[in-house]
Amino acid sequence: MSLSSNAFEDNQVQRAWWKEASVYQIYPSSFKDSNGDGFGDLGGVIEKLDYIKTLGVDIIWLCPIYQSPQVDMGYDISNYKEIDARYGTMDDVDDLIAGLHARGLKFLMDLVVNHTSDQHEWFQQSRSSKDNTYRDWYIWRDPKYDSQGNRQPPNNWSSYFGGSAWEYDSASNQYYLHLFDKTQPDLNWECEEMRSAVYETVRWWLNKGVDGFRLDVINLISKDQSFPDATVLDANQLYHHGCEHYANGPRIHEYLQELGGILDSYNAFSVGEMPWVSDPEEILKVVGYDRKELNMIFNFDIVDMDHGASGKFSPKDWQMSDLKSIVSKWQTFMYGNGGWNALYLENHDQPRTVSRWASDSAEHRTLAAKMFATFLGLQSGTVFLYQGQELGMSNIPEHWEMSEFRDLETLNHWDELCEIRPDDKDLQVITKQQYHIKSRDNARTPMQWNSDNHAGFTTGDPWFRVNDTYDICNAASQVGVPGSPFEYWRAILALRKQMLDIFVYGDFNIIDAEHEDIFAYTRTFKGHTVLVACNFRQHDVDWKLPTDMKLDELLISNYAGAEIDEGIVRMRAFEAFAYIQKDHASLSRL
Ligand code: TEU
């Protein structure tokens, strides 16, 4: 398979409803509490459906609400067909589905089937004895013994949440695999009965009225069955990543075609989370239009751009050229190859964009939020917006102490660091700074509805501290207020709908690829061109407009319009705009 561009000339971009849709992601614990217990719930989501509709999205994706011990905030499911009492009841789910459908909105559940909670009945059975019929539903292996006869895990893989990926079970003298927390054992997709049970669960939810799924780490489900040791990249570490043996592993496409066949028969929406795979040819096997696996995937290239040599919590400066080549690669990949992109910058695992890559100062936060809306929202792909992103919410403030953090990834990392390097105070300081930049907790503070107590999120005691910024950044002060990030996002989403041909299906080209401050691109459809330019800096940048470009008719900007003098545009701090080239006047009819 060779990749090409110029889709429209090749006429290969197929139209589909899910390509034209935008998605709003809800983290239920932190969205809206309706019963005063301090946790967001389904009643809270139902209360806010009109808010979501006003924004102009088409679909909501709800992070897991299934029964769960909540070690990993619901990504540890103990029963796929029950709702966690924290969030409400199955009747609430029915009401939510009805409320969404009445408003013409669709509903995505989060499907976590790489692993379950260790409290799931399947695992309880599986660990009860080697002969149990569920034994094979999880991944059990014998220990290894070193030259001194000491018992060791079956291989050197590390868990994403610290330590070995294997947990010892003394009752059977075997280890089970857990790529995430030890309370999240990996399911064994080699086992046909297990797969059938997963497929039955998928059908059960689709029959209930769910319109599709976001599939958690779905590319990790097929592991190399010889479980080889991971390549050692850092000899100072005891355990190593090993993704080369399980990210898009040997049978991934077979499993995804089984699953995709079911989804397709319901015309369901699907987006798969796919860390550690950046090869477009491989991704195309998943999202290729004729492959019937998944509609689209979340790729990690952008959000991993500032992960340092020792992983997420080590610092790394990124260059504009990195971002340009990543965006260009994936935008081009869609054309002529029948692929499709999921566009995102934030989610419940990622920090807030304004703080991470721009500025959350009082002067610049709003401008930066709107600049990112322009940057992302006018690209080609399906747009995913995470709760609070539409308000320009920022990371947790720097003065918050470690005791405020809640996420197990951050807490485990901190415990491990303090244990392994107790005297390295410098490293501890740097790492704490990195938590303030990249911890998942940055995205998980309660949604800021208004300037009342607890930001209007709850009348009780919030499970997680509300960000100090709620008095200046909240929904009540933005909805209907011209110039607010909320209204800006609303305008961007409306623009996509109004000019579908160009913004959803049009061709994409990077302009001025070498420029280190300005991210500019064009969207083109049958000769009609829109120029989008974004200043990623918090200072003025004089940008020489490419000679074949003109700033004729303004479509949208976070300033009143561009300042141009003799072909030089003075791009102000975080300025962003989109202009149509006037000689293509018929564009407005597209
Ligand atoms: O995340 C998987 C993943 O690869 C990560 O981005 C991970 O969350 C982490 O941030 C790595 O640094 C998914 C879910 O989105 C996440 O919330 C869950 O904790 C995880 O799977 C396990 O189910």
Side-chain angles (χ1 to χ4, degrees):
M1 196 179 333
S2 75
L3 299 174
S4 67
S5 63
N6 293 327
F8 280 98
E9 279 155 37
D10 300 350
N11 199 22
Q12 283 185 19
V13 176
Q14 320 267 348
R15 293 181 182 237
W17 69 268
W18 43 265
K19 294 186 175 177
E20 299 169 11
S22 303
V23 185
Y24 187 76
Q25 182 193 351
I26 294 178
Y27 197 62
S29 283
S30 299
F31 191 62
K32 178 78 177 87
D33 176 18
S34 68
N35 63 4
D37 68 357
F39 290 100
D41 49 36
L42 288 163
V45 179
I46 293 169
E47 266 177 44
K48 294 296 179 185
L49 288 182
D50 287 333
Y51 169 86
I52 295 166
K53 179 74 184 170
T54 304
L55 185 57
V57 295
D58 309 280
I59 299 175
I60 70 159
W61 148 27
L62 203 57
C63 287
I65 50 169
Y66 315 89
Q67 193 181 81
S68 160
Q70 304 288 343
V71 175
D72 187 19
M73 295 298 294
Y75 284 91
D76 46 330
I77 297 169
S78 53
N79 188 328
Y80 288 104
K81 294 182 186 167
E82 293 288 346
I83 300 304
D84 199 281
R86 172 188 284 195
Y87 299 119
T89 63
M90 200 56 89
D91 285 345
D92 294 329
V93 175
D94 292 334
D95 289 348
L96 174 62
I97 295 177
L100 285 163
H101 288 172
R103 289 168 178 81
L105 298 169
K106 291 187 189 287
F107 181 42
L108 299 189
M109 289 283 276
D110 208 319
L111 189 69
V112 189
V113 287
N114 175 67
H115 46 268
T116 66
S117 160
D118 62 354
Q119 301 305 304
H120 196 294
E121 173 66 17
W122 298 345
F123 188 71
Q124 297 284 315
Q125 293 281 348
S126 183
R127 83 176 329 167
S128 68
S129 96
K130 276 179 154 175
D131 311 323
N132 190 283
T133 46
Y134 288 86
R135 184 68 172 182
D136 197 31
W137 287 39
Y138 292 83
I139 301 169
W140 293 95
R141 287 293 181 277
D142 290 334
K144 264 187 174 167
Y145 291 91
D146 63 20
S147 49
Q148 274 90 52
N150 298 315
R151 192 190 69 237
Q152 299 293 343
N155 69 24
N156 65 359
W157 296 0
S158 57
S159 149
Y160 291 102
F161 295 152
S164 165
W166 297 91
E167 181 71 9
Y168 183 61
D169 174 58
S170 55
S172 60
N173 189 33
Q174 282 197 315
Y175 285 81
Y176 65 84
L177 180 74
H178 61 91
L179 291 180
F180 293 89
D181 191 63
K182 64 172 188 252
T183 63
Q184 294 167 295
D186 280 50
L187 284 163
N188 178 19
W189 277 70
E190 298 285 321
C191 170
E192 220 174 304
E193 294 79 34
M194 192 291 295
R195 293 209 304 280
S196 300
V198 167
Y199 301 150
E200 191 273 325
T201 307
V202 167
R203 284 201 188 86
W204 190 86
W205 278 104
L206 288 168
N207 289 337
K208 209 168 172 35
V210 160
D211 301 296
F213 297 95
R214 175 265 186 189
L215 300 111
D216 191 64
V217 287
I218 198 67
N219 65 328
L220 309 187
I221 58 179
S222 168
K223 284 95 177 166
D224 180 334
Q225 290 303 294
S226 60
F227 292 91
D229 270 340
T231 314
V232 176
L233 296 173
D234 178 354
N236 295 318
Q237 304 290 328
L238 204 51
Y239 304 110
H240 310 274
H241 203 284
C243 64
E244 63 276 21
H245 303 302
Y246 58 75
N248 286 36
R251 295 180 69 184
I252 184 71
H253 298 296
E254 182 190 335
Y255 300 154
L256 288 183
Q257 290 197 350
E258 288 178 356
L259 193 56
I262 301 171
L263 297 169
D264 191 52
S265 68
Y266 284 80
N267 193 22
F269 182 102
S270 56
V271 52
E273 191 194 27
M274 295 226 156
W276 317 116
V277 178
S278 286
D279 172 7
E281 304 245 359
E282 178 53 32
I283 298 298
L284 211 47
K285 291 184 196 150
V286 179
V287 304
Y289 200 75
D290 52 353
R291 299 270 306 172
K292 303 251 184 289
E293 292 191 9
L294 303 177
N295 294 154
M296 63 194 85
I297 61 114
F298 293 125
N299 165 267
F300 281 62
D301 283 0
I302 294 181
V303 295
D304 285 352
M305 202 169 61
D306 53 4
H307 290 191
S310 321
K312 169 171 178 171
F313 296 127
S314 61
K316 183 180 161 199
D317 289 333
W318 61 276
Q319 306 300 321
M320 181 61 112
S321 46
D322 301 336
L323 181 64
K324 285 186 178 172
S325 59
I326 295 169
V327 171
S328 208
K329 164 180 157 190
W330 291 109
Q331 291 283 306
T332 307
F333 141 89
M334 286 188 311
Y335 296 112
N337 300 302
W340 195 247
N341 285 318
L343 301 169
Y344 78 102
L345 293 175
E346 292 186 22
N347 62 37
H348 64 294
D349 294 334
Q350 300 297 331
R352 296 296 187 177
T353 325
V354 288
S355 310
R356 183 184 198 176
W357 291 319
S359 163
D360 56 15
S361 69
E363 190 188 353
H364 292 127
R365 183 184 53 80
T366 296
L367 281 168
K370 294 189 279 186
M371 186 275 282
F372 283 118
T374 320
F375 163 75
L376 187 76
L378 299 182
Q379 288 179 38
S380 192
T382 299
V383 176
F384 286 76
L385 201 51
Y386 175 67
Q387 68 181 47
Q389 187 178 0
E390 76 280 17
L391 306 176
M393 275 178 65
S394 49
N395 278 357
I396 57 180
E398 271 168 36
H399 63 86
W400 285 21
E401 299 294 338
M402 278 312 297
S403 57
E404 302 287 357
F405 286 84
R406 293 282 173 277
D407 177 34
L408 89 166
E409 181 186 43
T410 305
L411 298 177
N412 287 357
H413 187 269
W414 180 243
D415 287 349
E416 210 170 287
L417 181 73
C418 295
E419 196 187 312
I420 300 169
R421 311 277 286 272
D423 303 320
D424 196 340
K425 298 296 169 206
D426 288 349
L427 182 63
Q428 291 178 13
V429 169
I430 294 172
T431 307
K432 272 194 207 169
Q433 283 164 355
Q434 289 297 307
Y435 297 154
H436 277 94
I437 299 172
K438 294 178 216 155
S439 166
R440 309 196 297 184
D441 276 333
N442 289 298
R444 298 178 179 188
T445 58
M447 178 75 176
Q448 295 165 200
W449 291 107
N450 55 43
S451 55
D452 296 348
N453 202 19
H454 306 315
F457 161 69
T458 179
T459 52
D461 197 9
W463 74 275
F464 193 16
R465 186 171 164 182
V466 173
N467 193 311
D468 306 15
T469 55
Y470 72 95
D471 53 339
I472 51 158
C473 174
N474 61 62
S477 63
Q478 295 199 22
V479 179
V481 177
S484 67
F486 181 93
E487 290 301 327
Y488 194 88
W489 261 111
R490 192 177 172 189
I492 288 277
L493 297 178
L495 200 54
R496 288 181 73 83
K497 287 252 183 303
Q498 218 180 314
M499 295 168 73
L500 274 181
D501 285 340
I502 204 144
F503 287 123
V504 177
Y505 296 110
D507 215 337
F508 175 98
N509 274 299
I510 290 269
I511 301 296
D512 214 347
E514 307 301 316
H515 205 289
E516 274 300 322
D517 301 313
I518 306 297
F519 195 114
Y521 59 89
T522 53
R523 301 301 312 276
T524 308
F525 180 74
K526 291 189 176 157
H528 305 296
T529 300
V530 170
L531 170 68
V532 180
C534 303
N535 179 8
F536 271 62
R537 309 293 168 216
Q538 63 181 48
H539 52 78
D540 290 358
V541 174
D542 284 342
W543 181 51
K544 189 171 178 314
L545 198 64
T547 41
D548 53 339
M549 294 287 150
K550 285 188 276 133
L551 303 184
D552 291 332
E553 197 181 318
L554 180 66
L555 288 178
I556 192 161
S557 172
N558 56 356
Y559 283 77
E563 272 184 3
I564 182 160
D565 187 21
E566 297 194 357
I568 305 288
V569 189
R570 166 135 308 174
M571 299 281 295
R572 289 152 288 187
F574 301 120
E575 179 164 357
F577 56 68
Y579 276 87
I580 310 179
Q581 310 289 287
K582 206 165 191 170
D583 35 325
H584 306 304
S586 59
L587 186 69
S588 51
R589 291 198 298 275
L590 283 175

